[in-house]
Amino acid sequence: MNKRRSASAGPAPLPLRNGVAPSRVHLPPGPWVRLLDFLLERFEHVPPDILRARLARGDIVDDAGLPQTLDSPYQPLRWLWYYREVPAEAPVPFDLPVLFRDDRLVVVDKPHFLASIPGGRYLRETALTRLRAALDLPLLSPIHRLDRDTAGVLLFCADPESRGAYQTLFQSRAVRKEYEAIAPLRADLGLPLVYRSRMQARAGHFTMQETPGVANSETFIELIEVIAAAAPGPRDDACGDAKQACDAAPEGGLGRYRLRPHTGRKHQLRVHMSALGLPIRNDSFYPELQPYAGSDDFSRPLQLLARAIEFTDPYSGRPRRFESRRRLCAGGAV
């Protein structure tokens, strides 16, 4: 069951539950006699027995918090509230340290494999849900997002009235973002460089592709360190204290790159690096989508890190810079 947003919806009659906010669905005018008839049609992907069981338990309530039942009549132009359920959600075994907190901002160092916000297969194992529960901040909301596969600096707003000013910074490109990535070396590629291309979503797919036309994405890319020579070895010093042995370096070796995106297209850094023949280490999307194994291999995170975010605070006028404390490893964990 998915949420539908509307400005006319009132406050939620249900509280946070273990950091999870209630979802809602609007009831439009229609021919349904019973509420169950509408729910069966609206959520056709949900097994009917599950919908009936939720109504029987009183898990779905109206704006006044009154539980709906199997015999409830259909009453249009109102909202129903419920807690979304995700079966068999695997825990992400990494911490989510808070780098900074005041009355407006909460800045965290997100690990790989943890989604920024609830969606799809992820509900409790998300940064937003964890923080709402751990910090007792039911109104906490994201200012921007990181891909689930990407680790690093992530900003949230603790004051709903202040969120818009911070989001405007991102929308107006007044935020300077710096990433690190581990990828193959290319001796024939002149770095540093600025890479531009036109990106759009693949039809019927969640990945992105480059297409002809005016560029709508731009990234500055530079090599900052050679971390693995072409000759393979059993372990790379870049792994530091990581317990897993690193994979052997590919032919040509591995490098650490600094990436500064000027735009913020979905998967932009992954697409741009792949297009240059520098696919980011452990990327299962680019250049080719790898089949999902049914579970995450936590020993092989995508080697992409949101290293730092810098901007001028819209309230204090002071410069802000937040840096991740994580390190990338050429083969294993951060």
Side-chain angles (χ1 to χ4, degrees), residues 21-43:
S23 299
R24 61 193 178 187
V25 60
H26 186 252
L27 305 185
W32 306 279
V33 176
R34 296 182 304 163
L35 175 62
L36 176 61
D37 298 328
F38 165 77
L39 294 177
L40 290 173
E41 182 175 326
R42 171 66 177 82
F43 300 106

Side-chain angles (χ1 to χ4, degrees), residues 37-108:
D37 298 328
F38 165 77
L39 294 177
L40 290 173
E41 182 175 326
R42 171 66 177 82
F43 300 106
E44 59 183 353
H45 61 286
V46 178
D49 289 347
I50 291 180
L51 290 173
R52 292 189 178 94
R54 299 198 71 179
L55 283 172
R57 294 195 304 263
D59 288 349
I60 303 173
V61 305
D62 64 12
D63 284 322
L66 297 177
Q68 305 299 289
T69 70
L70 288 166
D71 297 323
S72 292
Y74 186 78
Q75 297 175 309
L77 303 179
R78 62 184 184 130
W79 289 86
L80 297 182
W81 299 81
Y82 60 94
Y83 292 104
R84 192 166 70 90
E85 296 179 354
V86 176
E89 189 175 4
V92 177
F94 304 116
D95 63 352
L96 181 66
V98 175
L99 300 174
F100 176 85
R101 179 182 177 184
D102 65 11
D103 292 340
R104 293 189 177 96
L105 286 177
V106 175
V107 184
V108 298

Side-chain angles (χ1 to χ4, degrees), residues 36-228:
L36 176 61
D37 298 328
F38 165 77
L39 294 177
L40 290 173
E41 182 175 326
R42 171 66 177 82
F43 300 106
E44 59 183 353
H45 61 286
V46 178
D49 289 347
I50 291 180
L51 290 173
R52 292 189 178 94
R54 299 198 71 179
L55 283 172
R57 294 195 304 263
D59 288 349
I60 303 173
V61 305
D62 64 12
D63 284 322
L66 297 177
Q68 305 299 289
T69 70
L70 288 166
D71 297 323
S72 292
Y74 186 78
Q75 297 175 309
L77 303 179
R78 62 184 184 130
W79 289 86
L80 297 182
W81 299 81
Y82 60 94
Y83 292 104
R84 192 166 70 90
E85 296 179 354
V86 176
E89 189 175 4
V92 177
F94 304 116
D95 63 352
L96 181 66
V98 175
L99 300 174
F100 176 85
R101 179 182 177 184
D102 65 11
D103 292 340
R104 293 189 177 96
L105 286 177
V106 175
V107 184
V108 298
D109 206 353
K110 188 184 85 66
H112 293 105
F113 301 104
L114 188 69
S116 295
I117 63 173
R121 296 184 288 121
Y122 311 106
L123 177 62
R124 295 174 182 83
E125 290 301 310
T126 68
L128 179 60
T129 300
R130 281 195 189 183
L131 290 170
R132 280 177 169 173
L135 303 180
D136 191 23
L137 292 175
L139 299 181
L140 190 72
S141 58
I143 296 175
H144 69 122
R145 303 178 190 180
L146 291 176
D147 292 344
R148 181 175 180 268
D149 297 330
T150 304
V153 180
L154 182 61
L155 276 61
F156 293 86
C157 190
D159 175 23
E161 295 185 359
S162 303
R163 184 187 183 202
Y166 289 105
Q167 284 189 311
T168 297
L169 294 177
F170 283 86
Q171 294 166 356
S172 61
R173 299 178 183 172
V175 176
R176 294 168 291 282
K177 294 175 285 185
E178 180 181 316
Y179 289 74
E180 285 184 14
I182 292 178
L185 295 170
R186 272 190 58 186
D188 61 332
L189 189 63
L191 295 173
L193 61 77
V194 174
Y195 185 83
R196 302 179 181 89
S197 71
R198 182 168 188 82
M199 292 176 53
Q200 67 179 38
R202 294 181 187 275
H205 210 271
F206 64 88
T207 58
M208 303 292 286
Q209 64 181 349
E210 293 184 320
T211 60
V214 178
N216 60 7
S217 60
E218 178 180 313
T219 306
F220 172 84
I221 302 169
E222 65 177 329
L223 176 66
I224 56 177
E225 182 186 5
V226 175
I227 60 174

